[in-house]
Amino acid sequence: MTIDAQILSALREPAAVSGAELSKRIGISRAAIWARIEDLRKLGYDIEAGPHVGYRLISTPDVLHADDLTARLGRTRVIGRDIRVFEQTTSTNDIAARLAQDGVKEGVVIFAESQSKGRGRLGRNWVSPPRKGLWFSILLRPKIRPQCATQLTVAAATALVRAIQSETGILPEIKWPNDILIRGKKVAGILTELTAELELVKDIIVGIGVDVNIDDFPVELRKIATSLKIETGATVDRPSLAAAVLRELDRDYARICVGDFGELAEEWQEGCTTIGQNVSIRLGERVVRGRAEALDGEGAMLLRTEHGHLERIIGGDVSVDKNA
Ligand code: BTN
């Protein structure tokens, strides 16, 4: 952990901590601690200091700061060991792909306060306004077959559901394969991209976009998109939500790595409103219709087609057929 991350982590402890204590724990002088605290204050961290009470963290700014995210996250197995924050980028998935090529260790997480070319599935644009959401990507290298990559999307979806519920009290639904909805409107999406060699995944990039504090959407999105702020009526703490998602995902990633996907699939099916519904799935030019029956061990959907066959679908654009 960097010095700032260690300071912020200590300041999150319930009791105030003195300059002498911080200096001893971190191994730098009290003057150096004071200088770091001054810099954190300039970034918007409200840190109270009293001669006899020590330092106390009063409030934090609505910015994503790598050291703060590290301090909030605490120790994880893989995800978030390295966190990098950009003010602006084209797409965090692009940055993660570049880091993958450079051989950066798995678990690195790239956040951007805004994206100029945020992308969704099927080549769609993903609106990513500054400081209004969480736009981030995680680089992973699980030793799994390419067919199992959907497991990571499933893990990201369940992690998002748990984190959103714990941070806002709202239980979102999952729409197969990668949408998180509240009252039928999309609040978050997942874009999983991978490079693979014949039988083994090389790099997986899990890109996650959460509409956190967006107040209003462009007219064309108003009927289908929402934000946590619109749903709760209050500004949601973005860094706290980000840390919660990463913590949940780190736990589930460990399960996937040891081949333990069963429980996760069950949890996913419980939260997934697509299962049990009659759906149409667009697969390029082809549209298949049927009943979404279940999720298999690799994360694919098992669809009972209108002709009675069981078809295994690994991706596509789903719409629920209300009148079928
Ligand atoms: C979708 O629902 O179609 C997926 C949306 C994924 C958006 C996120 S935002 C962070 C990451 N970078 C991108 O360009 N896309 C993903």
Short mmCIF file of all heavy atoms in Angstrom, two decimals, residues 8 12 39-47 57-65 68-69 72 113 131 213 235-240:
data_model
loop_
_atom_site.label_atom_id
_atom_site.label_comp_id
_atom_site.label_asym_id
_atom_site.label_seq_id
_atom_site.Cartn_x
_atom_site.Cartn_y
_atom_site.Cartn_z
N LEU A 8 -5.09 6.73 4.90
CA LEU A 8 -6.55 6.71 4.79
C LEU A 8 -7.13 5.47 5.46
O LEU A 8 -8.20 5.52 6.07
CB LEU A 8 -6.97 6.78 3.31
CG LEU A 8 -6.78 8.16 2.67
CD1 LEU A 8 -6.87 8.10 1.16
CD2 LEU A 8 -7.82 9.15 3.22
N ARG A 12 -9.73 5.44 8.79
CA ARG A 12 -11.06 4.80 8.75
C ARG A 12 -11.33 3.97 10.00
O ARG A 12 -12.45 3.48 10.19
CB ARG A 12 -11.18 3.89 7.52
CG ARG A 12 -11.37 4.68 6.29
CD ARG A 12 -11.69 3.88 5.07
NE ARG A 12 -11.72 4.81 3.96
CZ ARG A 12 -12.69 5.66 3.72
NH1 ARG A 12 -13.76 5.66 4.48
NH2 ARG A 12 -12.63 6.50 2.73
N ASP A 39 -1.93 17.39 1.78
CA ASP A 39 -2.24 17.11 0.36
C ASP A 39 -3.60 16.43 0.22
O ASP A 39 -4.34 16.72 -0.71
CB ASP A 39 -1.14 16.22 -0.25
CG ASP A 39 0.08 17.05 -0.64
OD1 ASP A 39 0.00 18.30 -0.53
OD2 ASP A 39 1.10 16.46 -1.06
N LEU A 40 -3.92 15.52 1.14
CA LEU A 40 -5.23 14.86 1.08
C LEU A 40 -6.35 15.88 1.28
O LEU A 40 -7.39 15.83 0.62
CB LEU A 40 -5.33 13.74 2.13
CG LEU A 40 -4.53 12.47 1.81
CD1 LEU A 40 -4.45 11.55 3.02
CD2 LEU A 40 -5.15 11.72 0.63
N ARG A 41 -6.11 16.85 2.18
CA ARG A 41 -7.12 17.90 2.39
C ARG A 41 -7.35 18.68 1.11
O ARG A 41 -8.48 19.00 0.77
CB ARG A 41 -6.66 18.86 3.49
CG ARG A 41 -6.86 18.28 4.87
CD ARG A 41 -6.44 19.29 5.90
NE ARG A 41 -6.71 18.81 7.24
CZ ARG A 41 -5.93 19.03 8.28
NH1 ARG A 41 -4.81 19.72 8.13
NH2 ARG A 41 -6.26 18.58 9.46
N LYS A 42 -6.23 18.95 0.39
CA LYS A 42 -6.37 19.71 -0.87
C LYS A 42 -7.21 18.93 -1.87
O LYS A 42 -7.88 19.51 -2.72
CB LYS A 42 -4.99 19.99 -1.47
CG LYS A 42 -4.30 21.15 -0.78
CD LYS A 42 -2.99 21.50 -1.45
CE LYS A 42 -2.11 22.27 -0.48
NZ LYS A 42 -0.72 21.82 -0.46
N LEU A 43 -7.19 17.60 -1.78
CA LEU A 43 -8.01 16.78 -2.69
C LEU A 43 -9.47 16.73 -2.26
O LEU A 43 -10.31 16.14 -2.93
CB LEU A 43 -7.46 15.35 -2.76
CG LEU A 43 -6.12 15.16 -3.46
CD1 LEU A 43 -5.62 13.73 -3.27
CD2 LEU A 43 -6.26 15.46 -4.95
N GLY A 44 -9.76 17.29 -1.08
CA GLY A 44 -11.15 17.34 -0.62
C GLY A 44 -11.45 16.44 0.57
O GLY A 44 -12.60 16.36 1.01
N TYR A 45 -10.45 15.74 1.09
CA TYR A 45 -10.68 14.91 2.29
C TYR A 45 -10.72 15.84 3.50
O TYR A 45 -9.76 16.59 3.73
CB TYR A 45 -9.57 13.84 2.45
CG TYR A 45 -9.66 12.82 1.36
CD1 TYR A 45 -9.03 13.01 0.14
CD2 TYR A 45 -10.43 11.67 1.52
CE1 TYR A 45 -9.15 12.10 -0.91
CE2 TYR A 45 -10.57 10.76 0.50
CZ TYR A 45 -9.93 10.98 -0.70
OH TYR A 45 -10.08 10.08 -1.72
N ASP A 46 -11.83 15.80 4.23
CA ASP A 46 -11.96 16.66 5.40
C ASP A 46 -11.38 15.88 6.59
O ASP A 46 -11.99 14.92 7.08
CB ASP A 46 -13.44 17.02 5.60
CG ASP A 46 -13.62 18.00 6.75
OD1 ASP A 46 -12.61 18.44 7.34
OD2 ASP A 46 -14.78 18.33 7.05
N ILE A 47 -10.18 16.29 7.01
CA ILE A 47 -9.50 15.56 8.10
C ILE A 47 -9.33 16.52 9.27
O ILE A 47 -8.67 17.56 9.14
CB ILE A 47 -8.14 15.02 7.62
CG1 ILE A 47 -8.36 14.07 6.43
CG2 ILE A 47 -7.40 14.29 8.76
CD1 ILE A 47 -7.09 13.69 5.68
N LEU A 57 -11.09 11.35 10.21
CA LEU A 57 -11.64 11.57 8.86
C LEU A 57 -13.10 11.96 9.00
O LEU A 57 -13.92 11.17 9.49
CB LEU A 57 -11.50 10.28 8.04
CG LEU A 57 -11.88 10.33 6.57
CD1 LEU A 57 -11.05 11.35 5.81
CD2 LEU A 57 -11.70 8.95 5.95
N ILE A 58 -13.44 13.19 8.61
CA ILE A 58 -14.81 13.68 8.77
C ILE A 58 -15.65 13.36 7.54
O ILE A 58 -16.75 12.87 7.63
CB ILE A 58 -14.83 15.22 9.02
CG1 ILE A 58 -13.92 15.57 10.21
CG2 ILE A 58 -16.25 15.73 9.24
CD1 ILE A 58 -14.36 14.95 11.53
N SER A 59 -15.10 13.67 6.36
CA SER A 59 -15.84 13.34 5.14
C SER A 59 -14.86 13.18 3.98
O SER A 59 -13.72 13.62 4.05
CB SER A 59 -16.85 14.44 4.82
OG SER A 59 -16.17 15.60 4.43
N THR A 60 -15.35 12.53 2.93
CA THR A 60 -14.50 12.28 1.76
C THR A 60 -15.16 12.91 0.53
O THR A 60 -16.37 13.04 0.49
CB THR A 60 -14.33 10.76 1.53
OG1 THR A 60 -15.63 10.19 1.39
CG2 THR A 60 -13.60 10.10 2.67
N PRO A 61 -14.35 13.31 -0.46
CA PRO A 61 -14.94 13.96 -1.64
C PRO A 61 -15.56 12.94 -2.60
O PRO A 61 -15.24 11.74 -2.51
CB PRO A 61 -13.73 14.63 -2.28
CG PRO A 61 -12.57 13.76 -1.89
CD PRO A 61 -12.89 13.18 -0.55
N ASP A 62 -16.39 13.42 -3.51
CA ASP A 62 -16.99 12.53 -4.50
C ASP A 62 -16.04 12.38 -5.70
O ASP A 62 -16.32 12.81 -6.80
CB ASP A 62 -18.34 13.11 -4.96
CG ASP A 62 -19.04 12.18 -5.95
OD1 ASP A 62 -18.68 10.99 -6.01
OD2 ASP A 62 -19.93 12.64 -6.67
N VAL A 63 -14.87 11.83 -5.41
CA VAL A 63 -13.91 11.55 -6.48
C VAL A 63 -13.39 10.13 -6.29
O VAL A 63 -13.42 9.59 -5.18
CB VAL A 63 -12.67 12.50 -6.46
CG1 VAL A 63 -13.03 13.91 -6.83
CG2 VAL A 63 -11.96 12.45 -5.13
N LEU A 64 -12.94 9.55 -7.40
CA LEU A 64 -12.32 8.23 -7.30
C LEU A 64 -10.83 8.47 -7.16
O LEU A 64 -10.21 9.13 -8.00
CB LEU A 64 -12.65 7.41 -8.54
CG LEU A 64 -14.14 7.17 -8.78
CD1 LEU A 64 -14.37 6.48 -10.12
CD2 LEU A 64 -14.74 6.34 -7.64
N HIS A 65 -10.26 7.95 -6.08
CA HIS A 65 -8.85 8.17 -5.78
C HIS A 65 -8.28 6.77 -5.49
O HIS A 65 -8.81 6.06 -4.63
CB HIS A 65 -8.77 9.10 -4.57
CG HIS A 65 -7.39 9.45 -4.13
ND1 HIS A 65 -6.38 8.54 -4.02
CD2 HIS A 65 -6.86 10.64 -3.75
CE1 HIS A 65 -5.29 9.14 -3.60
NE2 HIS A 65 -5.55 10.42 -3.43
N ASP A 68 -7.53 5.88 -1.90
CA ASP A 68 -8.74 5.78 -1.08
C ASP A 68 -9.45 4.47 -1.38
O ASP A 68 -9.92 3.77 -0.46
CB ASP A 68 -9.66 6.98 -1.38
CG ASP A 68 -10.90 6.99 -0.51
OD1 ASP A 68 -10.82 6.52 0.63
OD2 ASP A 68 -11.95 7.47 -0.97
N LEU A 69 -9.53 4.10 -2.66
CA LEU A 69 -10.21 2.84 -3.01
C LEU A 69 -9.45 1.66 -2.41
O LEU A 69 -10.05 0.73 -1.87
CB LEU A 69 -10.31 2.71 -4.54
CG LEU A 69 -11.27 3.71 -5.21
CD1 LEU A 69 -11.08 3.72 -6.72
CD2 LEU A 69 -12.72 3.36 -4.86
N ARG A 72 -10.21 1.51 1.31
CA ARG A 72 -11.56 1.03 1.59
C ARG A 72 -11.66 -0.47 1.35
O ARG A 72 -12.35 -1.19 2.06
CB ARG A 72 -12.58 1.71 0.67
CG ARG A 72 -12.84 3.16 1.00
CD ARG A 72 -13.72 3.73 -0.09
NE ARG A 72 -13.89 5.15 0.01
CZ ARG A 72 -14.97 5.75 0.52
NH1 ARG A 72 -15.96 5.04 1.00
NH2 ARG A 72 -15.06 7.06 0.54
N GLU A 113 -13.01 8.61 -14.61
CA GLU A 113 -14.10 9.49 -14.19
C GLU A 113 -15.04 9.75 -15.35
O GLU A 113 -16.22 9.99 -15.16
CB GLU A 113 -13.55 10.80 -13.62
CG GLU A 113 -12.91 10.67 -12.24
CD GLU A 113 -13.95 10.44 -11.12
OE1 GLU A 113 -15.09 10.09 -11.41
OE2 GLU A 113 -13.57 10.60 -9.94
N ARG A 131 -17.84 11.86 -13.38
CA ARG A 131 -18.18 11.77 -11.95
C ARG A 131 -19.62 11.37 -11.65
O ARG A 131 -20.11 11.60 -10.55
CB ARG A 131 -17.88 13.09 -11.22
CG ARG A 131 -16.43 13.51 -11.35
CD ARG A 131 -16.04 14.58 -10.36
NE ARG A 131 -14.79 15.19 -10.74
CZ ARG A 131 -13.60 14.60 -10.68
NH1 ARG A 131 -13.52 13.38 -10.19
NH2 ARG A 131 -12.53 15.22 -11.07
N ASN A 213 -24.98 8.37 -10.16
CA ASN A 213 -25.61 9.64 -9.78
C ASN A 213 -26.07 10.45 -10.99
O ASN A 213 -26.07 11.68 -10.96
CB ASN A 213 -24.65 10.45 -8.91
CG ASN A 213 -24.46 9.79 -7.54
OD1 ASN A 213 -25.41 9.23 -6.99
ND2 ASN A 213 -23.25 9.84 -7.02
N THR A 235 -27.95 11.03 -3.41
CA THR A 235 -26.65 10.80 -4.03
C THR A 235 -26.01 9.57 -3.38
O THR A 235 -26.04 9.41 -2.16
CB THR A 235 -25.74 12.03 -3.80
OG1 THR A 235 -26.40 13.14 -4.39
CG2 THR A 235 -24.38 11.86 -4.43
N VAL A 236 -25.48 8.70 -4.20
CA VAL A 236 -24.88 7.45 -3.69
C VAL A 236 -23.35 7.62 -3.67
O VAL A 236 -22.77 8.22 -4.57
CB VAL A 236 -25.32 6.25 -4.56
CG1 VAL A 236 -24.55 4.99 -4.22
CG2 VAL A 236 -26.83 6.03 -4.42
N ASP A 237 -22.72 7.11 -2.63
CA ASP A 237 -21.28 7.23 -2.43
C ASP A 237 -20.57 6.31 -3.44
O ASP A 237 -20.53 5.09 -3.27
CB ASP A 237 -20.97 6.82 -0.98
CG ASP A 237 -19.52 7.04 -0.60
OD1 ASP A 237 -18.64 6.93 -1.48
OD2 ASP A 237 -19.27 7.30 0.58
N ARG A 238 -20.00 6.90 -4.49
CA ARG A 238 -19.40 6.09 -5.56
C ARG A 238 -18.20 5.26 -5.08
O ARG A 238 -18.12 4.07 -5.39
CB ARG A 238 -19.00 6.97 -6.75
CG ARG A 238 -20.19 7.57 -7.50
CD ARG A 238 -19.73 8.38 -8.71
NE ARG A 238 -18.72 9.35 -8.36
CZ ARG A 238 -17.60 9.56 -9.06
NH1 ARG A 238 -17.36 8.87 -10.15
NH2 ARG A 238 -16.73 10.47 -8.68
N PRO A 239 -17.23 5.87 -4.34
CA PRO A 239 -16.10 5.05 -3.91
C PRO A 239 -16.52 3.86 -3.04
O PRO A 239 -15.96 2.76 -3.16
CB PRO A 239 -15.22 6.03 -3.12
CG PRO A 239 -15.63 7.39 -3.59
CD PRO A 239 -17.07 7.29 -3.98
N SER A 240 -17.51 4.09 -2.19
CA SER A 240 -17.94 3.02 -1.31
C SER A 240 -18.58 1.88 -2.13
O SER A 240 -18.32 0.69 -1.90
CB SER A 240 -18.94 3.61 -0.30
OG SER A 240 -19.44 2.62 0.52
#
